[in-house]
Amino acid sequence: MSATDFLDIPQGRLEIRRISEARAGAPTLVFLHEGLGCVGMWRDFPDRVAAATGCGALIYSRFGYGASDPVALPRPLRYMHDEALAVLPALLRAAGIGPHVLIGHSDGGSIALIHAGGGATPNLKGVVTLAAHVFVEDISVTSIAAAREQWEQGDLRARLARWHRDNVDAAFLGWNRAWLDPAFRAWNIEAFLPGIRVPVLVIQGEDDEYGTLEQVESIRKGCGAEPLVLPESGHSPQRDRPEAVVAAIGRFLAPLL
């Protein structure tokens, strides 16, 4: 895998990793991590997708994650909107990204949908979501509350510190406290779906512990997305069923290459 680097945007410095383009004219794949993720936690999945499609890639850690600049807590409850409508456009400009496809996991998938439906995106060619949410469900809150117990009483903090280092508290608490705030129950991004004008592939595991298949159905209805529900998979299809996910993304991207 390629080494990580840093990119300065008006809001601060972001940790990034680039994968060189293998096919002339192919869009760049931009990977948006989950609520506890970062560049490193994608492991080799971006490399596998890039190799299968011939596309280059940009992977980045959001502020407060990995080795990117820190953020102050608490995070605003519209943190995904802020990322999608302000930080991500600034990143794409600073990185010199032209035609691109967004690939987002969990929070990253939600951010991709907000970005795609939130305004002019002339260089956006497609969106792939993995376990994205468009509204809050009881199962989401229950699992996120269980994660807090693992953080407070188990080894979750130590495991995450390997990836986030000095950002570990901001990474976990910023995500966890926002989702468990009673006011966050009103969070809903379905209004962005009709504004999406590019193809969307929505992937979710049948056994996702953070969301039901109502999430997939809402995205399908809202923007005409192509759904893929994978058996024997939980909240991280790219880890549970990597071959199936890479193959599905390859098929989805083929008409765009």
Side-chain angles (χ1 to χ4, degrees):
M1 292 191 296
S2 54
T4 59
D5 199 352
F6 294 93
L7 181 70
D8 291 319
I9 68 172
Q11 295 91 334
R13 173 165 289 193
L14 294 169
E15 178 189 28
I16 67 167
R17 183 165 76 88
R18 292 183 187 262
I19 300 172
S20 298
E21 181 181 304
R23 181 183 300 179
T28 300
L29 310 177
V30 180
F31 287 82
L32 290 80
H33 62 74
E34 63 177 302
L36 296 179
C38 63
V39 167
M41 289 179 71
W42 281 108
R43 307 198 184 215
D44 69 343
F45 178 70
D47 302 84
R48 296 178 68 171
V49 178
T53 61
C55 295
L58 175 70
I59 310 101
Y60 78 104
S61 298
R62 298 193 290 276
F63 290 117
Y65 293 92
S68 291
D69 279 355
V71 295
L73 296 180
R75 282 189 180 273
L77 299 188
R78 56 170 289 117
Y79 71 94
M80 284 184 267
H81 291 70
D82 295 340
E83 183 73 25
L85 303 176
V87 178
L88 181 55
L91 167 74
L92 296 171
R93 287 192 297 270
I97 301 297
H100 60 277
V101 173
L102 301 178
I103 301 178
H105 177 214
S106 194
D107 273 15
S110 303
I111 290 165
L113 293 172
I114 297 170
H115 177 84
T121 53
N123 285 319
L124 182 63
K125 302 304 178 185
V127 174
V128 178
T129 68
L130 303 158
H133 297 93
V134 291
F135 54 87
V136 180
E137 297 180 280
D138 289 343
I139 188 175
S140 313
V141 175
T142 298
S143 291
I144 290 169
R148 182 174 63 187
E149 292 183 9
Q150 296 172 26
W151 172 266
E152 294 173 347
Q153 302 173 19
D155 66 348
L156 181 57
R157 187 182 188 281
R159 288 189 284 118
L160 289 175
R162 172 188 174 191
W163 303 103
H164 299 292
R165 298 178 289 279
D166 292 343
N167 276 328
V168 65
D169 293 309
F172 180 82
L173 296 174
W175 165 79
N176 191 262
R177 289 175 177 171
W179 273 88
L180 294 182
D181 189 316
F184 198 74
R185 284 282 188 161
W187 179 89
N188 187 303
I189 63 168
E190 290 173 299
F192 287 90
L193 299 177
I196 298 176
R197 298 289 182 261
V198 297
V200 177
L201 172 63
V202 52
I203 302 173
Q204 186 160 323
E206 228 174 44
D207 304 317
D208 192 333
E209 62 274 31
Y210 285 90
T212 73
L213 297 182
E214 288 301 312
Q215 303 287 344
V216 175
E217 184 63 10
S218 176
I219 300 169
R220 185 192 68 79
K221 289 181 177 178
C223 64
E226 174 188 341
L228 175 61
V229 178
L230 291 173
E232 300 178 359
S233 175
H235 188 60
S236 299
Q238 74 277 15
R239 290 199 287 269
D240 298 336
R241 298 286 308 279
E243 294 84 5
V245 172
V246 171
I249 294 175
R251 291 191 297 269
F252 173 73
L253 292 181
L256 307 178
L257 299 177

